[in-house]
């Protein structure tokens, strides 16, 4: 699909989670309908901006740890969202210049800006696939993926703030298992997931806003998020609130757990 085709296919009649996330991060790539829905969320949960920022920071730290300490040179990032620099490949390639990254998302607006995702180092490679996590088979068999990733070597599966958009009826654990099954020993899962654990009443309001906007969500408690890592060797400090996963010394004043409301973890496939 060309960028012009993508622009024609963008549905501006209802909000989209990727464009709402762009608003939370202070981006400009969203529409009025997304802004209105995002502001309703912010009215119910003012710390949504903190949550989005800490989710992004976790992705950066997890990527650096996997590159520096675990020899990962390949990433499959699903639910990429609208590009916000530094993107995952920029973080990875700042540590290992030959890193290869495949991005995947189901929002045509992401394709419209995909050239931002393609500014790779000369040694590395990046590509973008328009695909849906609910159809892992079509994603895994996409020719673009095979052109960039060598599935005989370890791959980090990056699922940031994605799986809460997969309801229980859509078999979220089965989806993650199918994705991990094709990856070899030494591969990794880096996952973040919003949770109602610290403020159930507020997160029920957030659930209602997303659902009424046409985006069903399932924000899960810690035990349910930990299930995504079944069979993997969790890196310290295990499944923890986003800002507590290996924070940088320069991170400054830490937000509260309730403000972040995000479970995060990184596991290695034995």
């Amino acid at each position: 699909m060309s960028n012009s085709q993508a622009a024609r296919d963008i549905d501006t009649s209802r909000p989209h989670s990727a464009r709402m996330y762009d608003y939370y991060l202070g981006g400009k790539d969203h529409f009025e309908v997304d802004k209105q829905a995002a502001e309703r969320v912010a009215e119910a949960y003012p710390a949504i901006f903190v949550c989005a920022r800490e989710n992004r920071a976790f992705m950066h730290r997890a990527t650096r740890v996997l590159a520096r300490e675990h020899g990962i040179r390949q990433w499959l990032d699903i639910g990429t969202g609208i590009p916000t620099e530094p993107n995952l490949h920029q973080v990875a390639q700042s540590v290992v210049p030959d890193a290869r990254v495949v991005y995947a998302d189901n929002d045509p607006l992401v394709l419209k800006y995909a050239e931002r995702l393609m500014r790779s180092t000369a040694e590395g490679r990046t590509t973008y696939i328009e695909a849906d996590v609910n159809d892992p088979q079509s994603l895994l068999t996409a020719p673009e993926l095979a052109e960039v990733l060598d599935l005989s070597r370890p791959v980090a599966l990056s699922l940031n703030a994605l799986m809460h958009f997969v309801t229980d009826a859509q078999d979220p654990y089965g989806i993650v298992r199918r994705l991990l099954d094709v990856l070899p020993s030494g591969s990794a899962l880096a996952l973040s997931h919003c949770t109602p654990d610290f403020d159930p009443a507020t997160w029920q309001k957030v659930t209602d806003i997303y659902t009424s906007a046409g985006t069903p969500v399932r924000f899960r408690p810690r035990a349910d998020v930990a299930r995504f890592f079944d069979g993997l060797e969790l890196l310290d400090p295990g499944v923890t609130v986003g800002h507590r996963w290996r924070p940088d010394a320069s991170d400054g004043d830490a937000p509260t757990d309730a403000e972040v409301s995000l479970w995060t973890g990184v596991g290695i496939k034995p």
Side-chain angles (χ1 to χ4, degrees):
M1 182 188 294
S2 69
N3 284 356
S4 60
Q5 286 175 308
R8 287 197 299 272
D9 288 346
I10 293 167
D11 180 2
T12 61
S13 66
R14 64 179 191 175
H16 189 285
S17 56
R19 303 193 301 257
M20 291 170 67
Y21 185 60
D22 175 74
Y23 178 84
Y24 302 146
L25 288 172
K28 302 274 192 288
D29 299 317
H30 52 266
F31 301 102
E32 184 64 25
V33 67
D34 307 304
K35 178 182 176 182
Q36 290 173 2
E39 287 181 343
R40 286 198 300 276
V41 171
E43 186 175 347
Y45 170 42
I48 184 63
F49 305 102
V50 175
C51 175
R53 188 169 65 245
E54 291 298 335
N55 178 66
R56 192 89 190 153
F58 162 74
M59 181 272 283
H60 291 172
R61 296 195 304 274
T63 300
R64 290 196 297 266
V65 165
L66 289 171
R68 284 182 185 143
E69 301 177 19
H70 296 274
I72 297 288
R73 297 294 182 269
Q74 305 186 107
W75 277 260
L76 173 57
D77 181 59
I78 307 176
T80 300
I82 294 162
T84 302
E85 294 192 343
N87 296 307
L88 188 151
H89 73 277
Q90 293 168 314
V91 176
Q93 290 175 352
S94 71
V95 181
V96 284
D98 61 338
R100 293 171 166 246
V101 178
V102 171
Y103 292 108
D105 203 287
N106 68 343
D107 181 5
L109 189 64
V110 180
L111 177 61
K112 183 172 183 289
Y113 292 98
E115 63 269 15
R116 290 192 214 161
L117 300 170
M118 305 306 172
R119 296 175 189 161
S120 173
T121 58
E123 306 96 316
R125 289 280 304 279
T126 66
T127 194
Y128 173 78
I129 303 170
E130 187 174 5
D132 193 323
V133 71
N134 291 296
D135 186 3
Q137 190 60 30
S138 67
L139 194 161
L140 292 169
T141 55
E144 300 95 332
L145 185 143
E147 288 170 8
V148 174
L149 300 185
D150 176 359
L151 296 186
S152 70
R153 297 171 55 225
V155 175
L157 174 62
S158 181
L159 304 175
N160 288 295
L162 173 67
M163 296 310 294
H164 48 241
F165 294 111
V166 181
T167 64
D168 292 345
Q170 294 168 297
D171 190 19
Y173 302 105
I175 288 170
V176 173
R177 189 166 55 249
R178 283 194 289 278
L179 292 167
L180 287 171
D181 279 349
V182 303
L183 305 181
S185 174
S187 294
L189 170 64
L191 180 143
S192 61
H193 194 298
C194 288
T195 181
D197 284 355
F198 304 101
D199 190 349
T202 290
W203 280 89
Q204 184 57 57
K205 294 177 186 174
V206 175
T207 298
D208 294 343
I209 292 166
Y210 272 97
T211 302
S212 66
T215 302
V217 289
R218 173 72 165 88
F219 301 120
R220 296 180 172 91
R222 185 184 183 282
D224 289 355
V225 176
R227 279 186 60 196
F228 287 111
F229 296 96
D230 284 356
L232 305 181
E233 297 170 355
L234 273 169
L235 301 185
D236 289 336
V239 176
T240 189
V241 187
H243 64 298
R244 299 183 186 279
W245 198 93
R246 303 200 184 187
D248 295 328
S250 60
D251 280 352
D253 293 337
T256 67
D257 290 354
E259 286 175 320
V260 178
S261 287
L262 189 77
W263 290 119
T264 59
V266 179
I268 305 294
K269 184 174 179 179

